């Protein structure tokens, strides 16, 4: 069965090319927004920032810190704003971003994602620098104990920067237990996403994405009301949470896709039942009362919202014309190439950038670092209120600079906040 996602396998040349495409798209977006904001040379230098990539070899470690298994490559990318007026980095502080275990982990992808983390932090106005790290392996090919060993080995290898410079978090392929092992080595403030550290933190990314999609849909005259059809691409941690909240609010989930295939339903796919099904089978394929379909038919399903919660470059110039949903959103990083976004806009679709729709895991992580005291409901209330505030801030910036897309609006907000953090006003 065809699927938009790739299955397990080694790092491939097209993974590297995919990361390079992401960087090219980010550069194109940056150039357009800088021009619309009318930034001068110093301001352009400040908002562009600088990125450094670290690459080290390590091996997994057991509980006695003895190495086992094959040698692996650990990557850490760090992106920071640069203050040209004082010839220094904006902050001599913390870089934040997830630690992922996936075959798509490459230098270009880590650099793109760390730049994205810098933008997300500045959209939120929390003024942390951007980081991203990972190991290019397929987590499905390792036992839980082996993956804990990978986390331990990575933490020892990079303990000179973990905590003091870079704060890791859960991401694609990694879990809270991996953060717990890292915390044993580098200290509790060296990682976020630790078990029990913040009630409801595992919900922040997906819940925030659902809230932001609701806000955007309502603003553009397509409210996600009772019975609204939704399709979800990616049924991992964030995808399940986003789908679950959308369904609780009355939406019908009529299609779900993962790396093993795409399913559709004439009625409403029960998200909780599907979650239990995937825990047993490892895939959405074969779920009761659904039909397996190919990529073309799945993207063409009649839906108001296509929520992408899988990975980068899912929508490209080759398949964007197939999308029938009115709103494309989701917590996946860089899920639509620049060319795909232009096609979607030409077709009258609204594209909700990940710079807005995937930032609430970052917000939850910041609450953990600040030792926020409150239960799960209090955390989700904070996320809801923050999403509402951020959406209004983007609308204001779009009006200020005569910007007409959410992608450019979110980038302009990040740049405005970044310059403001250096004491530079655009008024």
């Amino acid at each position: 069965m065809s699927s938009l996602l790739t299955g397990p396998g080694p790092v491939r040349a097209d993974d590297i090319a995919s990361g390079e495409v992401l960087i090219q798209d980010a550069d194109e977006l940056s150039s357009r927004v800088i021009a619309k904001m009318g930034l001068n040379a110093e301001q352009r230098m400040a908002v562009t920032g600088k990125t450094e990539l670290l690459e080290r070899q390590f091996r997994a470690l057991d509980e006695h810190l003895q190495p086992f298994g094959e040698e692996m490559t650990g990557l850490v990318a760090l992106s920071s704003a640069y203050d040209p007026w004082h010839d220094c980095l904006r902050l001599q502080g913390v870089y934040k971003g997830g630690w992922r275990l996936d075959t798509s982990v490459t230098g270009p992808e880590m650099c793109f994602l760390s730049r994205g983390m810098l933008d997300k932090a500045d959209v939120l106005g929390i003024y942390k620098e951007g980081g991203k790290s990972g190991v290019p392996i397929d987590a499905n090919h390792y036992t839980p104990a082996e993956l804990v060993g990978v986390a331990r080995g990575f933490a020892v290898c990079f303990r000179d920067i973990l905590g003091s410079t870079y704060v890791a978090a859960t991401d694609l392929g990694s879990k809270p237990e991996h953060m717990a092992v890292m915390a044993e080595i580098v200290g509790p403030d060296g990682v976020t996403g630790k078990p029990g550290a913040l009630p409801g933190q595992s919900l922040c990314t997906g819940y925030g994405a659902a809230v932001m999609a609701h806000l955007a849909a309502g603003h553009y005259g397509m409210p996600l009301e009772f019975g609204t059809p939704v399709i979800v691409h990616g049924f991992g941690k964030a995808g399940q949470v986003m789908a679950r909240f959308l369904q609780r609010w009355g939406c019908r989930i009529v299609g779900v896709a993962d790396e093993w295939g795409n399913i559709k339903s004439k009625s409403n796919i029960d998200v909780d039942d599907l979650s239990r099904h995937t825990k047993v089978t490892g895939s959405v394929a074969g779920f009761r009362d659904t039909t397996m379909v190919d990529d073309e038919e799945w993207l063409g399903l009649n839906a108001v919202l296509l929520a992408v919660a899988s990975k980068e470059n899912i929508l490209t110039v080759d398949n964007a014309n197939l999308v029938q949903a009115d709103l494309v959103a989701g917590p996946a990083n860089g899920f639509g190439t620049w060319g795909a976004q232009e096609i979607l806009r030409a077709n009258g679709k609204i594209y909700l950038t990940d710079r807005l729709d995937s930032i609430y895991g970052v917000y939850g992580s910041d609450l953990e670092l600040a030792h926020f005291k409150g239960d799960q409901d209090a955390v989700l209330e904070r996320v809801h209120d923050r999403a509402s505030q951020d959406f209004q801030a983007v609308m204001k910036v779009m009006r200020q600079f005569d910007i007409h897309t959410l992608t450019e609006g979110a980038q302009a907000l990040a740049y405005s906040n970044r310059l403001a953090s250096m004491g530079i006003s655009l008024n």
Side-chain angles (χ1 to χ4, degrees), residues 83 163 188 219 334 340 345 394 419:
D83 184 346
H219 177 82
R345 285 192 287 269
V394 169
L419 291 169

Side-chain angles (χ1 to χ4, degrees), residues 213-225 228 304 326-327 350 391:
H214 253 286
L215 293 168
H219 177 82
Y220 287 101
M222 55 183 84
L224 301 179
E225 301 172 324
T228 300
V304 171
D326 300 305
L327 172 64
I350 301 300
F391 189 78

